[in-house]
Amino acid sequence: MLPLTSNAVIHWIVNGWGVTYTSPHICALKGSTVDISCTYTYPTRINGHVTTVEKTFWFIELQDKEAVDLRADAELAGRVQYLCGRNSCTLQITDLRNSDSAVYKFMFITNQQDGNYTDQLGVILSVKGNILETTPVQVIWSSTGPKLICHSNCFPPGHSTFVWYKNETRIQEETFYSYRKHIDPAGHYSCAYKGHRSLPRLNVCSYPPDAPKVPLVLMSSSGEIMRGSSVTLTCSSDANPAATYTWYKENQTLLHKETQLILSSIQSSDSGEYYCTAENELGQMASKYIFVNVKYGPEISSLSVSTSAKIVEGSSVNLTCSSDANPAATYTWFKENQTLLQGREHIYHFTSISSEDRGTYYCKSENLYGEINSTSLFLDVQCE
């Protein structure tokens, strides 16, 4: 979070020609001064002729395929200065305006044939309206307590000077981007880049929410979430200012903004993954998922046959027992009250049905929480 500086960007040097900018992207504040610098290189001799630089200048755009010197730009009149030395040149623009945001490129012209050179990438300058468009004072907590950072995504590069305020009063000795003095927990702090308005003040006791915790409270002696019981989910997070909460079920907002989410007379449709978010003006955090698994005995047991046509000997027939239950039901198959099969299989299959299979069938669905019999179904097996 230091003021914006970047390592030099070395653009390709081709046959000894090249331009190197000190930063590919510079962010500066409206009304301030910015320096855009580069160095350049060229062959000292070509075909025995000594190379001399006849002209150097900065430009933004081409007109009729010719680069236009910024010093001739009416929009920049009186605000542009070149600070050039041997194989280096700095463009200085004062009293920056939003319209100055552009890509700036450097060109040098030599006495050699085809001796003009410029880099195609240049330096991107972004001018911000004012420092209030950026992020204010940030609090970083450590084992030694809070640390204040004057945090911004657009502090001018180079030697930036900062101004710190406590309770609206300037602290004269503090000029660094981080506040290094003792921090008063009751104090209100703000910062600014020198020459600009201060950022919004921040109470050092303020901090964003930590990851919310969601304990699950059951109104059931069995320890299971039974259909018809009441379940309370509570979202809690340490934050200052106090957090507001939002509840979600499987990424769908429940439009519930309270700390507690109460599921009274819970139903099977309430099963799913729940989580909450805690949010204040400094940030937002989400809790871990908690799975609500509603248990209930089998219900609405039904028996069906795979065909509605006449059942004849030798044909393949399936009986299907259907029942909604959690955990999944086991099934017992009956013919005329005689047990045929018991297990997880909810389909009873006749590979080649015979007249001996003629009769009344039903099934029973059961789990730990109950059982239910289906209605009876009569199979009338006829000869071909």
Side-chain angles (χ1 to χ4, degrees):
M1 281 176 278
L2 289 169
L4 176 61
T5 56
S6 298
N7 295 329
V9 175
I10 302 176
H11 296 146
W12 292 108
I13 297 176
V14 181
N15 297 326
W17 301 84
V19 174
T20 301
Y21 298 104
T22 56
S23 176
H25 186 186
I26 295 176
C27 186
L29 301 175
K30 181 180 178 181
S32 65
T33 298
V34 69
D35 290 341
I36 304 175
S37 301
C38 75
T39 59
Y40 57 95
T41 185
Y42 52 88
T44 56
R45 289 176 177 270
I46 298 178
N47 298 326
H49 297 287
V50 175
T51 303
T52 57
V53 177
E54 297 179 343
K55 184 178 180 179
T56 60
F57 63 95
W58 291 81
F59 69 99
I60 295 176
E61 57 187 24
L62 301 175
Q63 288 184 359
D64 299 325
K65 298 184 179 180
E66 293 292 329
V68 179
D69 191 329
L70 287 178
R71 288 170 295 193
D73 189 330
E75 291 292 325
L76 294 168
R79 299 191 294 121
V80 169
Q81 183 178 2
Y82 293 168
L83 307 173
C84 299
R86 182 175 176 82
N87 292 75
S88 67
C89 193
T90 295
L91 164 66
Q92 185 176 88
I93 308 175
T94 60
D95 190 22
L96 281 171
R97 304 169 185 174
N98 291 338
S99 59
D100 294 332
S101 295
V103 178
Y104 291 80
K105 299 177 183 179
F106 176 75
M107 175 176 280
F108 62 95
I109 300 173
T110 71
N111 62 331
Q112 301 287 0
Q113 183 178 5
D114 298 325
N116 298 1
Y117 186 86
T118 186
D119 179 85
Q120 296 302 312
L121 297 180
V123 178
I124 300 172
L125 173 64
S126 300
V127 180
K128 300 293 185 181
N130 58 62
I131 202 168
L132 292 176
E133 294 179 359
T134 61
T135 307
V137 178
Q138 182 180 19
V139 182
I140 298 177
W141 288 83
S142 66
S143 57
T144 59
K147 180 181 180 181
L148 302 183
I149 302 292
C150 199
H151 180 67
S152 171
N153 59 6
C154 186
F155 280 128
H159 50 283
S160 298
T161 301
F162 298 84
V163 180
W164 283 90
Y165 299 87
K166 176 185 176 184
N167 299 331
E168 312 295 345
T169 301
R170 181 174 175 178
I171 305 170
Q172 295 292 338
E173 313 86 54
E174 285 297 302
T175 59
F176 196 52
Y177 78 100
S178 65
Y179 186 79
R180 295 171 292 183
K181 289 184 173 294
H182 171 73
I183 298 172
D184 179 5
H188 290 80
Y189 293 81
S190 60
C191 68
Y193 176 67
K194 188 175 181 181
H196 294 268
R197 292 176 56 196
S198 66
L199 292 165
R201 69 180 188 174
L202 176 74
N203 188 331
V204 72
C205 291
S206 301
Y207 47 92
D210 60 9
K213 301 173 182 61
V214 185
L216 185 149
V217 178
L218 304 176
M219 300 300 291
S220 170
S221 58
S222 67
E224 299 283 3
I225 304 175
M226 299 301 300
R227 184 176 55 197
S229 64
S230 177
V231 172
T232 300
L233 302 177
T234 302
C235 191
S236 62
S237 175
D238 183 24
N240 189 18
T244 57
Y245 300 96
T246 304
W247 285 95
Y248 299 83
K249 179 187 177 187
E250 296 169 354
N251 295 324
Q252 298 297 316
T253 306
L254 296 178
L255 301 178
H256 189 82
K257 299 291 185 179
E258 302 298 327
T259 302
Q260 289 189 332
L261 176 62
I262 300 175
L263 304 174
S264 56
S265 189
I266 198 166
Q267 300 300 310
S268 58
S269 58
D270 294 319
S271 290
E273 290 185 324
Y274 292 78
Y275 72 97
C276 69
T277 58
E279 181 177 11
N280 67 10
E281 61 193 44
L282 300 176
Q284 182 189 78
M285 287 291 288
S287 71
K288 294 180 179 179
Y289 285 93
I290 184 167
F291 184 66
V292 173
N293 190 13
V294 181
K295 303 294 182 67
Y296 51 97
E299 59 181 17
I300 318 175
S301 183
S302 63
L303 184 60
S304 61
V305 64
S306 58
T307 177
S308 59
K310 181 174 65 174
I311 300 174
V312 297
E313 285 188 307
S315 61
S316 175
V317 176
N318 288 334
L319 297 180
T320 301
C321 189
S322 302
S323 179
D324 181 28
N326 187 25
T330 59
Y331 300 94
T332 305
W333 291 92
F334 298 90
K335 177 187 177 186
E336 315 289 359
N337 294 324
Q338 297 298 312
T339 301
L340 299 175
L341 180 67
Q342 185 175 27
R344 293 287 181 186
E345 185 58 55
H346 72 292
I347 296 177
Y348 191 78
H349 180 59
F350 299 92
T351 304
S352 178
I353 200 166
S354 69
S355 59
E356 294 180 355
D357 295 318
R358 185 174 185 272
T360 301
Y361 292 80
Y362 70 94
C363 65
K364 179 175 71 175
S365 307
E366 62 182 320
N367 65 10
L368 293 172
Y369 306 108
E371 61 180 51
I372 188 172
N373 289 341
S374 72
T375 54
S376 297
L377 179 67
F378 180 72
L379 287 185
D380 185 14
V381 183
Q382 299 179 17
C383 297
E384 289 189 74

